[in-house]
Amino acid sequence: MEYLILFGVFTALMLIGTPIAFCLGISSLATVGYLGLPPLVVFQRLSAGISVFTLMAIPFFIFAGDLMVRGGIAARIVRFAGSLIGHVRGGLGQVNIAASTLFGGISGSAVAEAAAVGGIMIPQMKERGYGADYAVNVTSMAALIALLLPPSHNMIIYSISGGGRISIADLFTAGIIPGLLLAVALSITAYVVARKRGYPTEPFPGFANVLRFLIQSLPGMLLIAIIFGGVRSGVFTATESSCIAVIYALLVTMLVYRSMSWSDFVHATQQAVRTTAMVLLIIGMAGAFGWLMAYLHVAQISLNWMQSVSDNPFVILLMINIVLLVLGTFMDMSPLIIITTPIFLPVVAAFGVDPVHFGVIMILNLGIGLNTPPLGPVQFVAAAVARISIWEAMRSVWPFYAAGLIVLLLVTYVPALSLWLPGVFK
């Protein structure tokens, strides 16, 4: 009965549109009440869930991303990417993906990337004859690259959900090759679709302009090297790197580019505070929910059930991928990481799967869920920028979904794609 209450109340509240943080909190309170435990337990676990020093990296990375968007760093990166590959068939689609790859190593957020790059690229693509659905699908799928590249704050959440024993530096490093592989797969897909629809190419601006745009965007892109190099080398922690990211973003936008006004700074601060409050409330509530799952031995029950189905690691990983893809259509990424990591990580560990490898699988899988209605926040952001309905974009998104799923299968069943680079740096 306690399992039915925990998961049943949560599912029922989610289906009627209750915010996810309250779904987690109310279902936890209901289960604690049935078990005869004091309700204070839920609030203690909520407080413990957000009282983790490493979590301080999340608000600072969010703030740094907002500063970079409003300070013009994203616009300069898009300009450089356009000069570099805009002459390829369906050039603006390729520019969109390249810009997302470069900016993803700065923002670490798929929603921020869809808003920043999409806000620049989607109007231009529509103006030059590209279909609005094509522009939305390229933008929303390319935004997922940010989830795999450092400084992905979802990887920080995964590390904490795994008990804090999984190296954030290894996770940052492990996501690089899968992220670049996703960018290549999406570029090929965008090219094929653009060629089929007869979309135009952009004129090559010349090597002199490419060099000029590179120099203009270089101060912003250097942040990628600072964050990754500092964390990987041990010069500073992920939390310290997030603070450095904010300071560096302020210096670049205010002193180098001189594009950050006081109004922009205030708006960036307000947006970062709102986003941080939402994320931390979800993390806290999910902490209480996760504690109850541990108390009820959900992970061990899941392991026993999966072992009864198969003892083949390939089958187990396929089953977990399917479950995560389904869950990702209904829940946001952060709470899903916190809820499912304590369940599935012991399961895959029992079958010899490296926790860093599984982290990359989970991040990519749940990232695809961010583009899948009825939730699909990244898809909704891109569709809102393009001013079309989500269903209009969904009709032609399938080639891009297929590219994402192919990369997910490769990352799942070829561990070297995730583990080779961390091994090199070690």
Side-chain angles (χ1 to χ4, degrees), residues 51-59 156-157 159-160 164 168 238-239 242:
S51 299
V52 179
F53 178 77
T54 311
L55 282 177
M56 288 183 63
I58 294 177
I156 298 173
I157 295 173
S159 173
I160 295 170
I168 294 176
T239 305
S242 66

Side-chain angles (χ1 to χ4, degrees), residues 5-25:
I5 294 173
L6 183 64
F7 294 105
V9 172
F10 172 81
T11 303
L13 290 172
M14 188 173 62
L15 291 176
I16 64 174
T18 307
I20 191 69
F22 295 104
C23 295
L24 294 165

Side-chain angles (χ1 to χ4, degrees), residues 61-70 74 99-100 103-104 106-120 139-140 142-144 146-147 153-154 271 275 370 377-378 381-382 385:
F61 277 135
I62 291 172
F63 189 28
D66 284 329
L67 290 173
M68 292 167 196
V69 171
R70 297 182 184 274
S100 295
F103 187 68
I106 297 175
S107 70
S109 167
V111 175
E113 187 166 326
V117 178
I120 298 169
T139 300
S140 59
L144 305 186
L147 302 172
H153 61 258
N154 288 291
Q271 183 62 36
T275 305
L370 293 178
V378 175
V381 168
V385 173

Side-chain angles (χ1 to χ4, degrees), residues 1 9 31 33-34 37 42 56 61 82 166 191 200 245 252 265 269 322 336 354 367 413:
M1 178 59 70
V9 172
T31 307
Y34 175 80
L37 299 173
V42 174
M56 288 183 63
F61 277 135
I166 306 169
Y191 174 82
V252 170
F265 176 78
T269 305
I322 292 172
L336 263 179
D354 190 282
Y413 295 117

